[in-house]
Each structure stands twice: as structure tokens, then as C-alpha cells.
Amino acid sequence: MKNLEAQPCLIARSLSLVGDAWSMLILRDAHSGLTRFDQFRRSLGIVPTMLTKRLAALTQDGLLETRRYNDRPPRDEYVLTQSGRDYLPVLLAIQGWGQAHCNASDVTRFLDDETGIEIEPVMIDKHTGAPIGTRAIRITA
């Protein structure tokens, strides 16, 4: 989706970086603490060649960075950058949408680590305080 990166719309530009399901699921797993290639492969059931491509793209685009954890043989782990950490609200917004519009029985839940309470994401406009989706919007260039 690299042809989207020059678009004036920031949604299009963002999708050029993380617009495929594998990338989003890798970021989800990275937020849950996974860092190593084999951990991602087992969790996602993704073929190694696809995982290699997605990890390389996420690293090149600045959402993950590599950190060497073994010299012989050389092995790197993948850790979230600030950009990758900033993607968590996007993932939780998608999860919240899924709760409302997909069959939400027998699914993964996201819990606040301190309270143990399930997270229910709500997006609020910083300037009006209104929940996003409750007011009409206008898109301008």
C-alpha cells in the first residue's frame, strides 16, 4: 500500500504503514509482550516468509526496532518504538468496534492490568468533549 503514503489524507498515509491484518496483529502481540520471531509465528500461525516481510516493514517504518539478544547465532528481538506504542489506542478502537459489530462471544478480552476490568474504548474529541461518531464531521484538504 506504499502508493498511499503521498496522499493528503492521514488515514491513507497511516494505512500505507499498517493497513494489513498481519501488521496489526503483530503490533497487538507486541503490546502483549511478545518480542521474538518464534513467539509471533506461534501466536499468529503465520508462515515465516510473510512474518519476515511484515517485521521488516514495521521496523523500516519505525513502529518496531530490533534489539540483539543473542550473538551466536545472531538473534534479534522486535520491540515497540514510541510510534508502535502510540498505535495501541487504534488497536483498541478496532477491538471496540468488533465488540459492537461482530459476534463477540468466546473472544479475546483486553483488561486493564491494574484493575482487571475489561477495557471499553471510547474516543472523545479533545476540543468539544463529544464522543466521536455522535456528531457530523466534515473532511477538508
Side-chain angles (χ1 to χ4, degrees):
M1 285 202 221
K2 294 295 181 190
N3 58 345
L4 298 177
E5 63 192 13
Q7 296 288 319
C9 175
L10 289 174
I11 294 172
R13 289 183 190 181
S14 299
L15 287 172
S16 76
L17 302 178
V18 291
D20 68 280
W22 288 124
S23 293
M24 288 188 236
L25 294 172
I26 290 166
L27 290 170
R28 177 205 61 192
D29 283 359
H31 276 282
S32 75
L34 303 188
T35 60
R36 297 187 178 177
F37 187 92
D38 286 339
Q39 292 173 323
F40 289 118
R41 189 178 50 75
R42 277 192 304 275
S43 174
L44 298 171
I46 184 174
V47 297
T49 54
M50 179 61 72
L51 180 56
T52 298
K53 288 178 187 176
R54 299 314 323 137
L55 288 170
L58 289 167
T59 301
Q60 179 181 345
D61 293 334
L63 287 104
L64 296 173
E65 62 186 9
T66 57
R67 186 169 47 204
R68 180 74 30 112
Y69 71 88
N70 194 30
D71 288 324
R72 292 180 192 209
R75 296 279 190 255
D76 293 327
E77 61 184 353
Y78 298 87
V79 295
L80 291 163
T81 62
Q82 186 60 52
S83 178
R85 289 188 295 276
D86 288 345
Y87 198 72
L88 181 60
V90 177
L91 291 171
L92 291 178
I94 293 169
Q95 183 265 346
W97 182 88
Q99 275 186 312
H101 299 287
C102 299
N103 180 1
S105 62
D106 194 30
V107 296
T108 302
R109 304 286 180 197
F110 295 83
L111 308 177
D112 181 281
D113 197 38
E114 291 181 25
T115 66
I117 297 172
E118 186 170 355
I119 295 170
E120 294 184 41
V122 176
M123 293 185 68
I124 303 291
D125 178 69
K126 179 180 178 179
H127 301 287
T128 65
I132 301 295
T134 62
R135 298 166 59 119
I137 66 166
R138 183 174 355 130
I139 301 172
T140 64

